[in-house]
Amino acid sequence: MDIFDRIVEDHVMQRTLMNTILNTVGDSDERRVLFEKFTHEFLSHAAAEEHAFYSPMLKVPATTDQSRHSVAEHSEAIELIEELKNTDMSSSAWLLTFKKLVHDNEHHMEEEEEDVFASVKKDLSDSDIEQMLPTFDDRKAQELELLKQA
């Protein structure tokens, strides 16, 4: 497995969780548990991705703008997650906001898989790419542990 496979693996998990949440109703235990799991998955993934994947991209002029764009998309999604945490899950506002998050996150994941991966493979060294996976996995595990303690 390489960093690209690992990121796609996380994307599959996020897509599954988002679609499952969309099939829940109201302020249910199921929705609460799934949303917490999605939140932990997304936040730990974003932190690991920024640290292991986008940080090296910032150092290469050809990939700097894309890296900044992707990190900004993470920030926007985190703002939506915070908004969702403070909204009644049984309200239509919660569902509308969650649907926006799903739409935005799906766009972000597709962009990574279709555009960013190709740029990284073209513009970063094999050595840089090889370092990404262990760095990603270590950071994600640290973030998940911190989120469990919170």
Side-chain angles (χ1 to χ4, degrees):
M1 177 177 288
D2 62 19
I3 186 64
F4 308 106
D5 294 331
R6 182 68 175 85
I7 289 172
V8 169
E9 182 179 84
D10 277 12
H11 288 176
V12 169
M13 169 72 79
Q14 288 179 41
R15 286 180 175 111
T16 300
L17 287 167
M18 291 185 307
N19 288 330
T20 305
I21 291 167
L22 286 171
N23 289 318
T24 62
V25 178
D27 189 356
S28 64
D29 288 340
E30 180 185 23
R31 183 177 275 182
R32 287 190 175 283
V33 167
L34 289 167
F35 181 65
E36 180 178 0
K37 187 172 182 177
F38 169 77
T39 299
H40 287 190
E41 180 63 29
F42 179 85
L43 294 175
S44 62
H45 172 86
E49 199 171 64
E50 289 176 18
H51 179 79
F53 194 71
Y54 288 115
S55 181
M57 287 176 63
L58 283 168
K59 298 173 187 168
V60 178
T63 58
T64 299
D65 287 343
Q66 180 60 60
S67 181
R68 287 183 180 144
H69 172 74
S70 295
V71 170
E73 288 179 338
H74 283 167
S75 295
E76 292 165 9
I78 291 167
E79 287 177 19
L80 290 173
I81 288 170
E82 288 304 313
E83 184 178 334
L84 286 163
K85 287 180 180 179
N86 295 311
T87 303
D88 179 357
M89 279 189 165
S90 62
S91 73
S92 59
W94 193 93
L95 190 57
L96 285 172
T97 303
F98 187 73
K99 285 180 178 180
K100 177 169 178 30
L101 174 62
V102 169
H103 176 269
D104 292 354
N105 195 37
E106 186 59 48
H107 162 79
H108 172 76
M109 293 184 293
E110 287 174 6
E111 194 170 61
E112 282 180 344
E113 293 167 7
E114 295 171 10
D115 300 329
V116 178
F117 288 3
S119 293
V120 169
K121 290 173 184 176
K122 179 178 145 248
D123 295 316
L124 272 71
S125 71
D126 290 344
S127 175
D128 285 339
I129 293 171
E130 286 173 18
Q131 271 307 124
M132 289 177 173
L133 181 61
T135 304
F136 181 96
D137 285 340
D138 289 347
R139 180 63 185 267
K140 185 166 181 190
Q142 292 169 2
E143 291 295 325
L144 281 171
E145 191 57 40
L146 289 171
L147 287 164
K148 287 178 188 174
Q149 294 172 9

